[in-house]
Amino acid sequence: MAASNEFDQLRVVLVAARNPLNIGAVARAMSNFGFRHLRVVNPYEAAFREARSAVGASALMSSAEEYKTVAEAVADCALVVGTTAVRHRELQHPLRRLEYGVRLLRRQLRSNRVALLFGSEKFGLSNAALSHCHWLMRIPTCEENISMNLGQAVAICLYELMRDSKAAAQREKVERATGGELERITTTLLEAMRASGYLDRRPIADVEERMRRLVRRLNLPARDAVVWLGILRQIVWKLRSGKSPVS
C-alpha cells in the first residue's frame, strides 16, 4: 500500500519508553501502515535502534529522532494528541474514543503536522507530558484489563487511522445522486404507492414530504439512483397496464 501524503504529516512520539523491543514493535507497525516519522523522548535504553523487533523497519529506526523533552519533540506540530488508558486519573483534557479521534486527526493532517503521543509502558504519559496535548484519545478495552502493550496500542491507532483514510477516500470518489434524480425517484415511488392501492389502505397526510425525506436518507450513489428509478418505473408500468413493456 502506498503511503498517503497525509500520513507524512504525522509524528509518532514515544515518551520515556522503557523497552527497546517495544520501540522496535512500534517502528514495525508504522512501516506496516505507511507512517515514516518516529520520535522518541528520553528512551530508557539508549541502544533502542538495534531492537530485533523492528522487522522490515530498520530504515525507520535509524532515522528516528531523539529529544530530551516533549516540548522539543512537538514544537513543530500544530496539533498534539495524547493517548491514555484513563484508569482512575483525573483528566484535564477532552477525551475522545479512537474511532472518533482519528477522524479529527485526519482533518488536521490535510494541512498541518500532528503529533500522536504514547507514554511509557509502566506509567503512561505523565501529567507534565499531557499538558502539551490539545486533547486525548483512548482505545476502548474491557474493564478487567485496560492497559495495552505499547506496540499493540500504536498498531491499533495507526490501523484505525489508515482504515478511516481509505474509507474517506472511497466516500470522496463516489458520485452522489443529484437532487433532480432523487426527486424523480420520489415521484415514481409515489406513483407506485398510489397505483398499488397502498395509500388507500394506509393514508398518509404528508406523504410527499415523508417519502421525499425517506428517499434522501438513502444517500444513494448516482449509479444506484438509475437502478432504483428503473425498478420503480417497471413496477408502475406493471401496475397500470397489467403487462411488462416490450424490450
Side-chain angles (χ1 to χ4, degrees):
M1 181 199 73
S4 165
N5 289 334
E6 296 174 4
F7 293 176
D8 206 46
Q9 295 278 66
L10 185 74
R11 302 299 185 267
V12 175
V13 182
L14 307 183
V15 182
R18 299 171 60 86
N19 190 332
L21 291 178
N22 284 335
I23 301 177
V26 167
R28 183 176 185 177
M30 292 175 64
S31 179
N32 287 150
F33 299 123
F35 297 87
R36 301 189 184 94
H37 302 288
L38 173 63
R39 295 179 174 180
V40 293
V41 178
N42 288 330
Y44 186 77
E45 174 57 63
F48 71 90
R49 296 182 194 275
E50 302 171 10
R52 294 190 301 273
S53 54
V55 179
S58 56
L60 196 153
M61 284 286 275
S62 64
S63 64
E65 301 173 279
E66 290 187 66
Y67 295 88
K68 291 294 184 182
T69 67
V70 174
E72 293 172 328
V74 303
D76 60 346
C77 297
L79 174 66
V80 180
V81 177
T83 56
T84 179
V86 182
R87 292 188 182 278
H88 302 296
R89 68 194 304 173
E90 183 178 351
L91 300 177
Q92 305 298 323
H93 297 74
L95 177 65
R96 298 181 170 95
R97 282 173 61 102
L98 177 63
E99 59 270 31
Y100 176 58
V102 295
R103 295 175 191 170
L104 300 180
L105 279 175
R106 281 199 66 253
R107 293 174 193 168
Q108 287 293 326
L109 287 172
R110 292 169 186 168
S111 55
N112 295 296
R113 185 168 293 176
V114 175
L116 184 56
L117 271 59
F118 297 86
S120 74
E121 299 88 332
K122 190 171 183 178
F123 303 109
L125 290 169
S126 67
N127 288 333
L130 288 175
S131 69
H132 293 277
C133 300
H134 293 85
W135 47 269
L136 308 178
M137 188 165 64
R138 65 177 289 266
I139 300 171
T141 55
C142 66
E143 291 299 321
E144 289 78 9
N145 188 6
I146 63 174
S147 179
M148 296 189 69
N149 170 268
L150 176 60
Q152 292 175 331
V154 173
I156 289 174
C157 289
L158 298 185
Y159 165 74
E160 190 69 19
L161 189 56
M162 182 199 73
R163 187 180 71 86
D164 186 74
S165 176
K166 292 180 71 175
Q170 290 172 352
R171 288 194 298 268
E172 290 166 2
K173 291 178 182 177
V174 174
E175 182 182 353
R176 313 313 302 185
T178 65
E181 290 168 330
L182 295 177
E183 189 62 21
R184 284 191 288 275
I185 291 175
T186 303
T187 301
T188 310
L189 175 60
L190 288 166
E191 287 183 46
M193 293 171 69
R194 293 187 178 103
S196 67
Y198 181 90
L199 293 177
D200 295 333
R201 296 190 302 274
R202 299 176 181 83
I204 304 172
D206 58 344
V207 62
E208 290 191 20
E209 292 83 358
R210 191 176 298 188
M211 291 305 104
R212 188 170 287 115
R213 291 193 297 268
L214 183 150
V215 169
R216 279 150 182 78
R217 283 199 299 270
L218 296 175
N219 195 28
L220 291 171
R223 62 179 181 273
D224 290 350
V226 174
V227 175
W228 276 111
L229 186 57
I231 291 171
L232 290 170
R233 282 174 171 168
Q234 181 76 12
I235 292 171
V236 171
W237 177 284
K238 182 70 174 179
L239 290 171
R240 294 198 182 282
S241 67
K243 61 181 180 181
S244 298
V246 177
S247 58

